[in-house]
Amino acid sequence: MPSQARIWRRRALIVVLRVGRLVRTGVDRIFPGIRYLLHSLQRRWRRSLQFRTVLTTLLLSISSFAIVGAYLSNQIANNLFQERLTQAESETRYNVKQVQDTFDGAQVTDQSSVITLVYDTLNAVEGRGSVIQRRYVFEAMPEQTKPRNRWVESRASDQLTISVIPPDLRKAVQDSGKEQFWASTEFPVGTEDRPGIAVGNKVTFNGTVYELYLIYDLNTAQQTLNEIQNVLWAGGAALILMIGAIAWYVTRNVVSPVSHAAVVSEKLAAGQLQERMVVKGEDEVARLGASFNHMAASLQEQITQLATLSQMQQRFVSDVSHELRTPLTTVRMAAEVLYDARDDFDPINKRSAELLYNQVERFQSLLADLLEISRFDAGVAMLDAEATDIVQLISHVMEGAAPVAEEYGSKMVLNAPPEGSVVVEMDSRRIDRILRNLILNALEHGEGRPVNISVASNADAVAVTVRDHGIGMSPAEAARVFDRFWRADPARARTTGGSGLGLSIATEDTKLHNGWLQAWGNTGVGSNFRLTLPLKQGGTITKSPLPLEPTDVGLGAPGDHSVLVLGPGATAVPAVPEPASPEPASPVPGSPSVGKEAERAAGAGPGKPEPARTGERS
């Protein structure tokens, strides 16, 4: 026996585990479906005005119908109950009076006559026939002090008992005199319980006090109420479906033109300028469609004109640039011959030969920039990316700019990561051009002060900042510094710098790399240019590793960076610079400071004021 018990327990445990596994599998399969359904509904709710309108209308209709239906059902039920209660109280008073009159006039002395009289009287109250109108419970009151001839203890119709009478009703009847009381109750009829109203009174017979309860069946009223509620539910469901259909039809007529307009506008935004809305009728939607089509036609005409004008301008620049190359080459060769023979000329002709040679060189640089810009405008500029160490590229650019730094009396300081290399997938020729432009601009406008070049990287991008401490820029100038041929002071003739297209070309080169090129400046404090590139070709940038607005002008704490210093009196060897003096370079509140070492490097002493200039960046 113990072994059989263990076997049955093991079998029960196996069954429980299998059932649990099945339940878990079902839940795992049902929950994804429920989540998918909820997500689909949320997406549909956000993206479809018609679905949102119809669903909102249905929900409001259901809520309104539920409130109105509950109110109507409650009112109907109360009215039916009050009507039946009034009828029951009236009939009970009449029948109790009849019973009491019969008992008072009875002349019976033996027990069988008493039982027969009580039975016949209560059966008359019951009103038997095809349908029993009311039922009764006849019970002698307990603890009577002087009962006399109590030959009938209790009696009830249809095998009812005194237990169907609520205790509160019995207590009220027992404690009262001749008052009448009622209470709702349930009583069994066959195999079901029916609702009813029990109305109680006191009657006396042969000196004995009895409790007489007449029970009225409310089953007919309940059936009537159920039928009314069924009609309300069916009518409400049909009404809600009709409201939903009407809302869908109305919103479809209103939303469809809007949806069509949205589709057409998306196609227009994608460049399909020939798309138009279908206009039907003369209502507000039709007028909207006509206005939309008129707007689209006007935009198409203007965009076409602008595109044609832009193409003409681009073609003109490209054609002129190409046509100028041949005569410019001839002029340059003649200028070189004159420049080489300038020592044989008189001072005036010698100076003219030098000016001619320099301006031809500048003209050739401008022509090269115009050709590069025309390639960008024509969309033929291609990216030749390969993995390159950007730190090594920056060092190469700094070495090439060393003569310019020597000329301006500025030091170039490279703050690189401690590991000394950052490999980036990039077009080294274009990045070299960007960095060369930024560094030469910083040297030209740095007022002889040091130029800080910083490099940092994160998981997605690398950033290079070029920080000078010269004349600086205002925020409005920094916002326009990348525009073509823009100058901070338009009234001043261009005597220094390049063609005015350098930063524009740098911007286009940066866009080819899917990178950022940004500028910050503060008048009298300096400026900071930040180039941010993705480490991988085609990658995206979420955050630049270096801030655009510099926090200081120092070089950082010793050991934080690998530092390379180039400039007057400096060699390209690693070094840890001395921290900058806290003396400010200009009285701009909240601006970074430049120490006296930078002033001496710029050639300005304490007693030698520096001339103020407004710079331009090419």
Side-chain angles (χ1 to χ4, degrees):
M1 291 300 291
S3 60
Q4 290 183 354
R6 286 196 299 271
I7 292 173
W8 281 108
R9 282 198 298 269
R10 292 182 60 186
R11 290 180 178 176
L13 180 60
I14 292 173
V15 170
V16 170
L17 292 176
R18 290 181 177 177
V19 171
R21 189 180 300 112
L22 291 175
V23 171
R24 186 172 64 253
T25 303
V27 169
D28 292 340
R29 292 182 178 179
I30 291 175
F31 277 1
I34 295 176
R35 285 196 298 268
Y36 176 78
L37 179 61
L38 292 177
H39 291 164
S40 300
L41 290 176
Q42 291 178 355
R43 184 169 58 253
R44 187 75 173 175
W45 175 272
R46 292 193 305 267
R47 303 186 62 181
S48 175
L49 177 61
Q50 182 177 3
F51 176 79
R52 190 162 60 247
T53 303
V54 173
L55 185 59
T56 303
T57 303
L58 287 177
L59 292 176
L60 292 177
S61 300
I62 292 173
S63 301
S64 302
F65 176 75
I67 295 173
V68 174
Y71 174 77
L72 291 177
S73 178
N74 185 61
Q75 288 296 110
I76 292 172
N78 289 336
N79 291 336
L80 288 175
F81 182 80
Q82 290 297 330
E83 180 182 1
R84 194 71 181 96
L85 175 61
T86 302
Q87 180 182 0
E89 289 180 334
S90 177
E91 291 181 0
T92 300
R93 291 191 187 94
Y94 175 76
N95 286 282
V96 168
K97 184 176 182 302
Q98 292 287 50
V99 170
Q100 188 63 58
D101 292 342
T102 301
F103 286 167
D104 291 342
Q107 299 294 327
V108 291
T109 56
D110 58 290
Q111 183 178 3
S112 60
S113 299
V114 170
I115 293 174
T116 301
L117 177 63
V118 171
Y119 180 76
D120 293 341
T121 304
L122 294 178
N123 283 340
V125 170
E126 190 178 35
R128 283 186 176 274
S130 59
V131 177
I132 299 178
Q133 298 178 358
R134 65 189 68 84
R135 291 167 175 80
Y136 66 87
V137 174
F138 188 72
E139 183 77 15
M141 285 187 62
E143 300 179 358
Q144 298 190 48
T145 56
K146 295 180 179 180
R148 190 177 64 179
N149 299 329
R150 188 188 298 175
W151 293 325
V152 179
E153 291 291 338
S154 62
R155 197 165 189 85
S157 60
D158 283 348
Q159 299 180 352
L160 296 179
T161 62
I162 194 64
S163 60
V164 301
I165 306 301
D168 294 340
L169 177 59
R170 289 201 63 190
K171 187 174 185 307
V173 171
Q174 291 172 4
D175 295 341
S176 67
K178 294 296 184 179
E179 293 86 357
Q180 179 174 277
F181 298 93
W182 68 272
S184 298
T185 184
E186 286 186 352
F187 60 95
V189 177
T191 58
E192 62 176 347
D193 290 337
R194 292 185 179 181
I197 300 175
V199 184
N201 287 272
K202 284 182 180 179
V203 295
T204 57
F205 182 43
N206 289 335
T208 303
V209 181
Y210 292 90
E211 302 171 28
L212 177 59
Y213 300 96
L214 298 184
I215 302 174
Y216 295 86
D217 192 352
L218 297 182
N219 189 55
T220 304
Q222 183 64 44
Q223 291 178 353
T224 303
L225 181 61
N226 291 339
E227 291 176 0
I228 293 174
Q229 289 178 345
N230 291 335
V231 171
L232 287 176
W233 281 113
L239 182 62
I240 289 173
L241 292 178
M242 293 176 60
I243 292 174
I246 293 172
W248 177 83
Y249 178 76
V250 173
T251 53
R252 181 176 179 272
N253 290 336
V254 175
V255 173
S256 293
V258 179
S259 301
H260 181 53
V263 173
V264 174
S265 63
E266 290 175 356
K267 292 182 179 180
L268 289 174
Q272 302 178 20
L273 302 179
Q274 73 282 358
E275 290 292 329
R276 297 293 184 272
M277 288 184 62
V278 178
V279 179
K280 296 180 180 179
E282 299 179 356
D283 55 5
E284 292 82 359
V285 177
R287 292 200 299 271
L288 174 63
S291 301
F292 185 90
N293 291 340
H294 179 70
M295 179 189 67
S298 178
L299 288 176
Q300 181 181 12
E301 181 180 358
Q302 295 180 14
I303 291 174
T304 302
Q305 292 177 355
L306 291 174
T308 303
L309 179 60
S310 177
Q311 290 177 359
M312 292 176 60
Q313 291 176 343
Q314 294 173 10
R315 187 176 305 160
F316 175 78
V317 172
S318 178
D319 293 344
V320 170
S321 301
H322 282 84
E323 291 298 330
L324 287 176
R325 293 179 68 181
T326 300
L328 180 61
T329 302
T330 304
V331 172
R332 182 184 180 187
M333 292 174 61
E336 288 179 351
V337 171
L338 294 175
Y339 183 77
D340 292 339
R342 67 186 184 280
D343 292 335
D344 299 334
F345 299 157
D346 58 84
I348 296 178
N349 290 331
K350 179 180 179 181
R351 179 58 179 165
S352 298
E354 292 175 349
L355 291 176
L356 175 64
Y357 179 79
N358 292 331
Q359 293 302 317
V360 168
E361 288 289 336
R362 186 160 174 259
F363 189 19
Q364 187 173 15
S365 175
L366 173 61
L367 183 61
D369 290 342
L370 287 174
L371 288 173
E372 187 68 19
I373 284 291
S374 66
R375 293 189 189 96
F376 286 117
D377 291 339
V380 297
M382 303 297 294
L383 192 67
D384 185 16
E386 60 181 5
T388 306
D389 183 5
I390 194 171
V391 177
Q392 184 178 359
L393 181 63
I394 296 172
S395 301
H396 174 72
V397 174
M398 291 174 62
E399 291 175 359
V404 180
E406 184 74 24
E407 178 184 354
Y408 285 102
S410 297
K411 288 185 179 181
M412 294 180 292
V413 182
L414 173 61
N415 303 322
E419 55 271 17
S421 65
V422 179
V423 178
V424 185
E425 292 184 3
M426 62 182 180
D427 189 334
S428 57
R429 180 181 65 87
R430 297 182 184 276
I431 301 302
D432 181 280
R433 182 165 57 192
I434 296 173
L435 296 174
R436 189 178 304 276
N437 187 282
L438 296 180
I439 292 175
L440 291 179
N441 277 338
L443 291 173
E444 179 182 349
H445 300 87
E447 299 293 316
R449 298 186 177 93
V451 174
N452 297 91
I453 301 119
S454 302
V455 185
S457 63
N458 55 24
D460 301 319
V462 61
V464 180
T465 59
V466 179
R467 170 81 163 99
D468 67 74
H469 309 89
I471 56 180
M473 300 180 293
S474 66
E477 293 171 347
R480 297 197 56 194
V481 73
F482 299 106
D483 295 345
R484 298 180 183 181
F485 299 108
W486 180 83
R487 287 180 292 171
D489 184 7
R492 184 174 62 84
R494 182 185 298 275
T495 57
T496 61
S499 62
L501 294 173
L503 289 179
S504 300
I505 295 175
T507 302
E508 298 295 336
D509 286 334
T510 305
K511 290 180 180 179
L512 285 178
H513 288 81
N514 197 24
W516 301 343
L517 182 58
Q518 299 159 300
W520 170 90
N522 201 341
T523 305
V525 176
S527 59
N528 187 46
F529 285 78
R530 182 178 69 181
L531 172 66
T532 309
L533 301 173
L535 293 178
K536 301 293 183 180
Q537 184 181 3
T540 57
I541 303 171
T542 57
K543 183 179 180 182
S544 181
L546 291 174
L548 177 60
E549 182 175 353
T551 56
D552 57 67
V553 298
L555 305 180
D560 288 347
H561 300 82
S562 175
V563 181
L564 177 66
V565 181
L566 291 178
T571 57
V573 296
V576 178
E578 296 179 359
S581 172
E583 181 179 348
S586 61
V588 178
S591 63
S593 60
V594 179
K596 295 182 179 179
E597 292 294 333
E599 292 182 353
R600 287 194 293 270
K608 181 181 179 181
E610 297 178 336
R613 297 195 298 157
T614 301
E616 59 180 278
R617 296 179 182 269
S618 61

